[in-house]
Amino acid sequence: MRELAADGIPVAVSCPVLKLSRQPYYRWLAVPVPDNDLAQAYRANALFDAHRDDPEFGYRYLADEAKAAGQPMAARTAWRLCSSNDWFSAFGKGRAKNGKKPGPPVHDDLCAVVDADGRTRHEFRADGPNQLWLTDISEHHTTWIPLVVATPRFLLRFQ
């Protein structure tokens, strides 16, 4: 916009062409970036530089490194910036986005069969011994000991 105005094109003409409103443009022209956002950007840059140099540091050490670089901040501010940008220690483990995402199945689903309608169903059949085992984990009502039961399906022929 400044370049267009310097070339003699009025702001009232160039704003509609660029699909901008004049009032927010003039508001931005008066204060382009809020001071708080600028300070947060400098702090995040100092934390990122420290994290790039020493990826094994946690947010507290990164805050100390940023302070030495001229960007002092509270530990909570350093944690917030590191957490929101996924800058975790190389020795630690970052959490999942929601913390509750299940992982992949730990076994192959050998019983799954897709029927004619496209739905996945399970058929628990075995043609010989040691081909299919059914397990159940339950808890006895009188104890706190979990019971694990594993039974070969070939022996359970209920016909």
Side-chain angles (χ1 to χ4, degrees), residues 58-110:
Y59 71 93
R60 290 186 178 115
Y61 287 117
L62 293 177
D64 292 340
E65 293 288 320
K67 183 178 181 181
Q71 292 297 326
M73 67 188 87
R76 174 74 178 155
T77 302
W79 173 84
R80 181 177 47 80
L81 289 171
C82 289
S83 178
S84 64
N85 290 306
D86 292 333
W87 298 330
F88 296 105
S89 171
F91 298 124
K93 179 181 176 187
R95 290 179 38 159
K97 290 292 180 189
N98 60 5
K100 298 178 183 177
K101 184 177 178 184
V106 296
H107 59 81
D108 294 330
D109 199 358
L110 301 176

Side-chain angles (χ1 to χ4, degrees), residues 140-156:
H140 194 273
H141 295 289
T142 60
T143 64
W144 288 99
I145 302 171
L147 302 173
V148 179
V149 178
T151 308
R153 177 62 181 106
F154 187 68
L155 297 177
L156 299 174

Side-chain angles (χ1 to χ4, degrees), residues 2-145:
R2 290 181 185 172
E3 292 84 10
L4 293 173
D7 289 341
I9 300 173
V11 174
V13 173
S14 58
C15 279
V17 171
L18 297 173
K19 297 183 180 179
L20 297 173
S21 300
R22 282 186 291 162
Q23 184 177 6
Y25 168 69
Y26 284 121
R27 191 179 315 132
W28 174 83
L29 197 58
V31 181
V33 177
D35 295 336
N36 188 27
D37 291 348
L38 189 62
Q40 293 298 318
Y42 281 127
R43 290 174 180 162
N45 189 34
L47 287 172
F48 178 72
D49 290 341
H51 178 68
R52 188 179 52 209
D53 293 340
D54 296 313
E56 67 273 0
F57 282 177
Y59 71 93
R60 290 186 178 115
Y61 287 117
L62 293 177
D64 292 340
E65 293 288 320
K67 183 178 181 181
Q71 292 297 326
M73 67 188 87
R76 174 74 178 155
T77 302
W79 173 84
R80 181 177 47 80
L81 289 171
C82 289
S83 178
S84 64
N85 290 306
D86 292 333
W87 298 330
F88 296 105
S89 171
F91 298 124
K93 179 181 176 187
R95 290 179 38 159
K97 290 292 180 189
N98 60 5
K100 298 178 183 177
K101 184 177 178 184
V106 296
H107 59 81
D108 294 330
D109 199 358
L110 301 176
C111 301
V113 176
V114 179
D115 63 3
D117 296 328
R119 290 184 290 231
T120 302
R121 303 207 184 264
H122 291 84
E123 293 183 7
F124 301 101
R125 286 187 283 161
D127 298 328
N130 287 330
Q131 289 182 351
L132 180 65
W133 286 71
L134 304 177
T135 61
D136 183 29
I137 300 174
S138 60
E139 186 175 302
H140 194 273
H141 295 289
T142 60
T143 64
W144 288 99
I145 302 171

